[in-house]
Structures are given as structure tokens and as C-alpha cells.
Amino acid sequence: MPAPTILKRSLEFHFPRSVSVAKQIPQTLEVIITPLSDPSAPDQGTYVGGLQKQSVLLDDDDNVLLFRLVPTASPDLLAPVTYRAAWREGGVIGRTFTYDFAMPDADIRFDELAELGQIIGGETYLQQTDLGVPGRVAKLNDDGVPVDSDGHPAAGAAALDSLANMVDDETTARMAGDATTLTQAQSYTNAQVNDLSGQVASDLEQVSTTLTAAIDTEIAARQNGIATEVASRIAADASLSTVIDSLSTSIDSLSSGLATKATLDSSGLLPLSQIPAAAITNAVSVSNQAAMLALTSDDVQPGDLVVRPDGVFGLFGPNPAIIGNWLSLTKVASVNGYQGTVSLTASDVGAVPTGTNFPISQITGLSSALADRATTSQLQTLSVTVDSIQ
């Protein structure tokens, strides 16, 4: 069976901009509306609904939340329903505000509810629809006399006087009770405040003592750390001074040594004038091996060359008088399969011996070339002809 349509009204909450002190960002506010009862419609269906919750970021000048609620005195309900609004400021640990209220049968702002009458938590308020209804509130006639649902007077002047006296007595008793309750509440509050003040003072003293001890410990630890660091740095400075002195000595030694070193020209090359004579390869001409072995260290150095009629020899030892320090650089390993002193003939290299006559036919192209030449008789005839012409 589908639920019947029940009238709901709008309740608006308006909150100003709010920024957190710690993070300087807009706060988020959560509003909860809770029905304090769950009345039903005549067919026993529940239409008031349960808890409603909305959140809003307070970043505009006016931040609005809208709830749709069934009016407290809706004729579609078997009993009135009151509501409780709650919201919290400043996050999880912020203060929570709660207000109990009756929802009028009209669209309204929450801050306008106060203009409709004082709202007291836990109370059900008189509605126009409650007047003269059996089991609810009596209605007064034009003479101020209560009447029943049919309009008949329910009480006379005496009853009203008695009722007034009862109300006065009840008022007096309640005022006395309220005064006693207030006195007891003040005494209890003062005792609680005194106990809390003593406890807070004790806690503060304990916290102060603990913090002082912790600060002293931290100061001592930091002072020890600073002293250790200073000693370490002094030792490091002394070691560094030793290293610097050693480096200075090395630099001085290098500077002295660099003064005797060769310098490079603008092309990054070593000038010939700074190359020692021993590093330059010289060539010396001698007549024979005996003359070569007669050379001294003043004449040749290792790496120098000696030119002899029978070849070129290089010195690869410190003493030029030792034949083993000389190496022939022009010795041929073999000639046409012969080693040592080689004397070749034409037959050794496949050549024709000197003075050999060759037939014309063995000379490639010679016959063709001679075929186009004049014979001796032709030349004689031509010579006679020339002589005759002359």
C-alpha cells in the first residue's frame, strides 16, 4: 500500500562565515534534526521520518541549510511531534548547541522560531488545532468560561476562583521549590568549582614540575652535545692544519721542481731547445764495423744510428764498443729464396741472358708494326724520285 502524501514545511538555517583560528580555513558545520517522537497517521503509517543530517562549509557571508519537516500539529498525525536541532562549532572538540522546538505549519527560518513564543526543551506547545478537542485543551467562550467540544460551559466563577487559588498555591510551591533547587545547585556548583580549581592547580603544578625537569634534561643534553661537537671540531681543525702544512710543503716542493721542468709553446708542444741531446736521434757515418765499434758515448747515445757502406745500424745499449748493442736495420732476410751474400743470375729470376737474339715473331706486335713500314728497295726508289724532283 503506497504511503499517503503528508504536508511538509521548510525550515532554513542561516550561518555566517567562520574561519578556524589555527589553520585559517573555513570551518565545516554539521546540523542534525531529530524528531523527539514518532507519531503515526491514522492508518498507523509513520511519516515523520527519522534523523536528518546536513553539513555546510562556512565560506560565504550567508551559508544556508534547508530541511523539510512535518508540522508539529499536523492534522495528519495522531499526536503532535516536536523536534531537536543540534549543531557543533569548531570541529570534533567544539561546543555542541541543542534546541528543542515545535515546527509551525509554515515555511520559516530557524531564527524566527523565537518570535513565535518561548521554546522550552521537552515541552509540547499549545496549537490552535488543540483547542476544544477532546483529550487536549479546553476552549474559552466569549465570557472567559471553559467550554466543551460542543460549546457548553465547563465551569463557573466559583470553579474558576478555586482553580485560581490552586494555581496560586502551586505557583508559590513551585517558586519555593525552584528557590531551594537554585540554592542547592549553586552550592553544588561552588563545591564543584572549588574542587576543580584545586585539581587544576595541582595538575598545573605537577605539569610545571615535569616540564621543568624535562627542560633541564634537554638543556643538559644539548650542552653536552655542543661541548662534544666543539671538541670534535677543534680536533678536526688541528688535523686540518696538519694536512694544510703538509700540502703547503708539497706545493713548495712542486713549485721548486716545476721551475726546472720544460715549458710548452703556444701549440702545447715541447720546444726543440728544451729537448735534451740524449733524447734526439742522431746519425753518424762510418766506413766499416771497426770504426763503428770505435765510437764512444760522447759520439753516440742509445737510439742513434750509424750509416755504413753495408747498411744502417742502430745502437740499443749504453756501450757502443759492444757489437751486441748494435742492430742492423737494413739486413734482408732472403732474396728469391737465398740468404747471406746473394749474387743473382738471369736464370735465378727467370730472365733472358744478356746478348740473346730474339726472333721478330717472339716480340709481341713487332711484325704488325713493321708491316706498315717501307722496305729498303722502296726507300731507294723514293730517294731517286726525290733527287729527280729537286
Side-chain angles (χ1 to χ4, degrees):
M1 175 181 178
T5 303
I6 190 168
L7 178 65
K8 293 186 178 182
R9 295 297 187 180
S10 297
L11 177 62
E12 291 183 355
F13 289 80
H14 292 257
F15 298 95
R17 184 194 306 273
S18 179
V19 177
S20 66
V21 177
K23 298 183 179 179
Q24 293 298 309
I25 60 175
Q27 296 190 38
T28 298
L29 189 68
E30 184 181 74
V31 179
I32 300 175
I33 301 295
T34 306
L36 297 182
S37 59
D38 196 17
S40 303
D43 61 351
Q44 301 304 313
T46 299
Y47 304 119
V48 173
L51 178 146
Q52 299 185 45
K53 179 171 63 176
Q54 297 186 38
S55 297
V56 62
L57 183 65
L58 304 180
D59 57 350
D60 292 329
D61 293 335
D62 185 22
N63 303 274
V64 182
L65 289 178
L66 177 65
F67 292 84
R68 299 284 293 170
L69 303 176
V70 176
T72 295
S74 173
D76 296 323
L77 301 177
L78 293 178
V81 57
T82 54
Y83 297 91
R84 174 169 295 165
W87 63 84
R88 181 168 53 216
E89 296 180 347
V92 177
I93 61 174
R95 179 183 176 186
T96 299
F97 298 86
T98 59
Y99 296 92
D100 293 349
F101 64 95
M103 181 65 190
D105 190 7
D107 296 336
I108 194 170
R109 290 169 52 129
F110 182 81
D111 52 2
E112 295 175 345
L113 290 175
E115 300 174 3
L116 303 180
Q118 185 177 9
I119 299 174
I120 302 176
E123 298 293 333
T124 300
Y125 297 95
L126 177 65
Q127 307 293 324
Q128 185 67 31
T129 54
D130 293 333
L131 298 178
V133 177
R136 296 194 183 179
V137 181
K139 184 177 181 180
L140 301 181
N141 59 17
D142 294 336
D143 297 327
V145 179
V147 297
D148 59 16
S149 59
D150 296 327
H152 301 297
L160 292 177
D161 292 339
S162 175
L163 180 60
N165 292 332
M166 293 174 63
V167 170
D168 291 340
D169 293 341
E170 180 66 18
T171 300
T172 301
R174 292 200 176 194
M175 291 179 65
D178 292 343
T180 301
T181 301
L182 179 60
T183 301
Q184 293 176 348
Q186 287 178 343
S187 299
Y188 177 78
T189 301
N190 292 335
Q192 291 294 316
V193 169
N194 292 333
D195 292 343
L196 182 60
S197 297
Q199 184 64 39
V200 169
S202 176
D203 291 344
L204 286 177
E205 183 178 359
Q206 182 178 359
V207 170
S208 176
T209 302
T210 302
L211 288 178
T212 301
I215 292 173
D216 292 340
T217 302
E218 179 68 16
I219 291 174
R222 295 202 176 192
Q223 289 176 343
N224 292 335
I226 292 173
T228 302
E229 181 66 18
V230 169
S232 175
R233 295 202 175 190
I234 291 175
D237 291 343
S239 176
L240 182 60
S241 298
T242 302
V243 173
I244 291 174
D245 293 340
S246 177
L247 289 176
S248 298
T249 302
S250 299
I251 292 172
D252 293 340
S253 176
L254 289 175
S255 298
S256 300
L258 288 175
T260 63
K261 303 298 180 182
T263 57
L264 303 179
D265 59 16
S266 59
S267 300
L269 302 177
L270 185 64
L272 293 176
S273 60
Q274 297 189 27
I275 298 176
I280 300 176
T281 300
N282 296 313
V284 179
S285 179
V286 296
S287 58
N288 50 40
Q289 178 175 305
M292 180 181 73
L293 296 177
L295 296 173
T296 66
S297 298
D298 294 334
D299 301 322
V300 289
Q301 299 288 332
D304 288 345
L305 303 177
V306 169
V307 180
R308 289 167 33 182
D310 56 348
V312 178
F313 294 81
L315 179 62
F316 293 94
N319 189 357
I322 300 175
I323 188 62
N325 290 338
W326 293 95
L327 179 64
S328 175
L329 303 179
T330 56
K331 182 177 180 181
V332 178
S334 66
V335 177
N336 200 30
Y338 299 102
Q339 294 181 342
T341 303
V342 180
S343 178
L344 300 177
T345 64
S347 61
D348 293 326
V349 295
V352 178
T354 303
T356 302
N357 295 323
F358 294 94
I360 293 177
S361 60
Q362 291 184 359
I363 301 175
T364 303
L366 182 58
S367 299
S368 299
L370 293 177
D372 294 332
R373 300 295 186 270
T375 63
T376 302
S377 61
Q378 289 174 340
L379 288 176
Q380 290 176 353
T381 302
L382 180 59
S383 176
V384 172
T385 301
V386 172
D387 289 342
S388 175
I389 292 173
Q390 289 178 346

